[in-house]
Amino acid sequence: MRDSRSKRRSTSAFSAGVLALGIGLILIGLYAALALSQTQRDRASQPLTSIPVAVNYPAPDLKLITLQGQSAALKDYSGQVILVNLWATWCPPCRAEMPVLQAYYEAHQPQGFALIAVNAGDSPTEVLAFVDNAGLTFPVWLDPKDAALRAFRTNALPSSFVIDRSGQVRLAWSGAIERKTLEKYVTPLIDQ
């Protein structure tokens, strides 16, 4: 009889230990899930911005068609600081940065700054609808065969490249950018 009571106590103690371990693991899992959730919320609340990388190579000889159906080339803008932005209407970061690019363009165009948005593969109808809806006033070029992506050796959207007044690509970045970052990195090139 004593052995059966002893076995029941051992079994009860073992069950209580397993139960405590299970509860502990559940609590650890809940804590980890809450911490991960908070980290994701913190990241979501922070603006996403890219940091330009300094580069130095000749601008490609890029020729495309404007949204109005006219031929255009980067060399048409020689002597200006040019920001070439590769984008698409289906790309959320591309769409998100367009108001920032428009505001920067409006502020710096009188200083010899040009912004050329090169659309990667959308139909002219889609691009025109987006441009009209967003109120964009800078030049928009169509690139149905991804010539600009190849010329700038990237496949990321959005990607941007800044060409100085002498025709050298001086800055490059992938991803959306903020106005303060443009002011910090691009404005000094305009002011030179």
Side-chain angles (χ1 to χ4, degrees):
M1 203 178 225
R2 202 174 245 185
D3 284 337
S4 71
R5 281 187 198 161
S6 184
K7 284 182 185 178
R8 275 189 243 160
R9 281 187 203 146
S10 291
T11 302
S12 290
F14 179 75
S15 295
V18 169
L19 181 62
L21 179 62
I23 290 171
L25 289 174
I26 289 171
L27 290 174
I28 290 170
L30 286 172
Y31 176 76
L34 288 172
L36 179 60
S37 175
Q38 182 62 43
T39 300
Q40 289 172 340
R41 276 195 303 274
D42 291 345
R43 284 186 185 151
S45 68
Q46 295 175 356
L48 299 177
T49 190
S50 297
I51 303 298
V53 174
V55 295
N56 192 3
Y57 59 89
D61 184 24
L62 185 63
K63 296 174 190 164
L64 293 169
I65 302 297
T66 68
L67 192 52
Q68 293 74 29
Q70 300 169 345
S71 180
L74 284 180
K75 70 178 180 180
D76 298 339
Y77 294 85
S78 64
Q80 296 183 57
V81 173
I82 310 163
L83 190 158
V84 178
N85 177 255
L86 310 179
W87 69 287
T89 61
W90 51 262
C91 164
C94 300
R95 297 171 68 92
E97 78 175 347
M98 284 300 173
V100 171
L101 294 175
Q102 178 64 38
Y104 188 81
Y105 172 71
E106 289 172 4
H108 294 284
Q109 182 190 20
Q111 300 165 290
F113 172 73
L115 194 154
I116 301 167
V118 179
N119 180 270
D122 291 319
S123 75
T125 305
E126 289 172 308
V127 177
L128 183 57
F130 179 85
V131 167
D132 287 345
N133 187 46
L136 304 180
T137 61
F138 46 77
V140 177
W141 296 1
L142 301 173
D143 189 11
K145 297 182 180 177
D146 297 333
L149 291 170
R150 286 192 307 279
F152 284 101
R153 296 184 180 124
T154 186
N155 60 4
L157 294 177
S159 285
S160 295
F161 303 86
V162 177
I163 303 166
D164 69 14
R165 295 182 195 280
S166 67
Q168 291 290 112
V169 179
R170 299 280 303 278
L171 297 170
W173 66 89
S174 293
I177 198 159
E178 292 181 327
R179 175 75 182 260
K180 67 181 180 182
T181 308
L182 288 168
E183 294 290 355
K184 180 178 179 180
Y185 291 93
V186 180
T187 302
L189 290 174
I190 296 171
D191 292 342
Q192 287 181 349

